[in-house]
Structure formats: C-alpha cells, structure tokens
Amino acid sequence: MATSLKNLNDYKKEGFGDISEKKFGIVVADWHSEITDVLCAGAIDTLLKHGAQKEHIFRNTVPGSFELTLGAQFLAMQEEIDAVICIGVVIKGDTKHDDYINHAVANGLTNVSLKFNKPVSFGLVTTNNLEQALDRAGGKHGNKGVEAAAAAIHMLSF
Ligand code: RBF
C-alpha cells in the first residue's frame, strides 16, 4: 500500500500481549532532531498507552541514522531489554547519501534483531523532502514513531 493511503497511527491492536513488565530501549538520531523528537514522543506515548511503565523505557541518542544500528546493538545485547525501537529521519539531498544510509540501517537493524532474537523496529522516515517527513511526524500521514512502537509490541506477542 502506498504510504499516501496509510495513516501510520492506524494499527491493529488485537493480540497485543501484556507489556507492563517489558523493557524498551529507544535509539533516536540527532539529525533532524526537531522531527525525531516528535517521532520519539509518539513511540513513548504508544508504549505508555498499551501499559508499559515509564521507568521501563530507556531513550538514548546517536549522532545520525547511520549510527542507529550500533546504538540498537548496544541496547539489544542487554539482557533486560525486551525490544528496541529505532527512530531517524533521512531526507534526500543532492547526493546518494540517503540510499547508502537507508540500506545500511535496514540491513543493520535486521541483523541486530536476528542476532539477539529481539524485536528491533524500523522507525526511520525516508523521504524526498522535509514536507513529506513532517507529514509522517504527526502530520497528515500520522506518526512513524507510533507505528514503530506498535510493531515492537506486536512482535513481543509473537
Ligand atoms: N543522518 C540522518 O539521520 N539523516 C540525514 O538526512 C542525514 N543526512 C546526511 C547527509 C550527509 C551528506 C552526511 C555526510 C551525513 C548525513 N547524515 C544524516 C548523518 C549520518 O547518518 C551519520 O551520522 C554521519 O555520516 C556520521 O557517520
């Protein structure tokens, strides 16, 4: 489905298990922090709404989205962390940097998830311009942080 037809705040809640004792690590990229902060707030709100405890949510920052993978690994390797949520915004520019970063993050997070057998969700907004990113950070397409948190909760119930 094209993202223009999907609101990121609409997710299926059926089958979500009890997360009141689960611990969540969140890794947030500092690049475009005015947007990643909104995405992170959406993720935290979603965890709290579904019963997570505030003290069980650990937020960490990394310089840019490229570093999300190592940040995720530092958290996933901690036994007490049950799931990791990664948040970043990569906007297309004059060069192909966005392609390299996006592919590296997608592959990197998949590898971390498989290596540690834990949900590591992909809260990376990858857009052509700033407006599209804002549309996905609480704008007309919802909030990608909400979707990433919901994906982590869903996978914990697998
Ligand atoms: N990081 C992001 O999270 N989003 C971006 O849009 C972004 N654009 C970048 C553009 C260029 C030209 C460079 C050099 C870096 C960019 N980064 C971006 C930072 C990148 O993820 C990483 O933090 C740095 O390259 C240091 O490893």
Side-chain angles (χ1 to χ4, degrees):
M1 181 192 284
T3 49
S4 59
L5 301 175
K6 159 114 183 121
N7 188 298
L8 295 159
N9 292 9
D10 294 337
Y11 54 87
K12 283 194 188 155
K13 301 161 188 74
E14 300 90 48
F16 277 14
D18 178 9
I19 60 164
S20 60
E21 295 306 323
K22 301 291 186 190
K23 295 195 171 141
F24 296 87
I26 304 185
V27 195
V28 186
D30 277 340
W31 266 69
H32 306 295
S33 63
E34 68 288 0
I35 309 177
T36 57
D37 282 346
V38 177
L39 299 173
C40 182
I44 292 174
D45 283 351
T46 304
L47 297 177
L48 295 174
K49 181 173 141 192
H50 290 286
Q53 299 179 44
K54 209 172 167 191
E55 318 73 71
H56 288 176
I57 301 172
F58 305 95
R59 181 189 191 275
N60 296 270
T61 59
V62 290
S65 293
F66 185 77
E67 285 76 32
L68 286 172
T69 301
L70 184 58
Q73 176 154 290
F74 284 152
L75 291 174
M77 69 191 288
Q78 295 179 34
E79 223 163 276
E80 63 272 22
I81 296 288
D82 297 293
V84 180
I85 297 162
C86 299
I87 305 277
V89 172
V90 179
I91 300 180
K92 220 180 242 316
D94 295 335
T95 64
K96 293 210 297 186
H97 73 273
D98 58 307
D99 260 357
Y100 293 112
I101 296 173
N102 294 339
H103 284 109
V105 176
N107 289 329
L109 297 187
T110 302
N111 289 337
V112 173
S113 185
L114 297 178
K115 181 171 168 188
F116 292 97
N117 256 333
K118 291 180 184 180
V120 176
S121 65
F122 185 81
L124 191 67
V125 168
T126 60
T127 60
N128 294 322
N129 54 51
L130 183 64
E131 186 187 355
Q132 289 177 342
L134 292 169
D135 287 345
R136 289 156 181 79
K140 69 179 178 196
H141 295 309
N143 185 321
K144 177 78 176 160
V146 170
E147 187 234 20
I153 299 170
H154 188 156
M155 289 308 293
L156 282 172
S157 321
F158 190 85

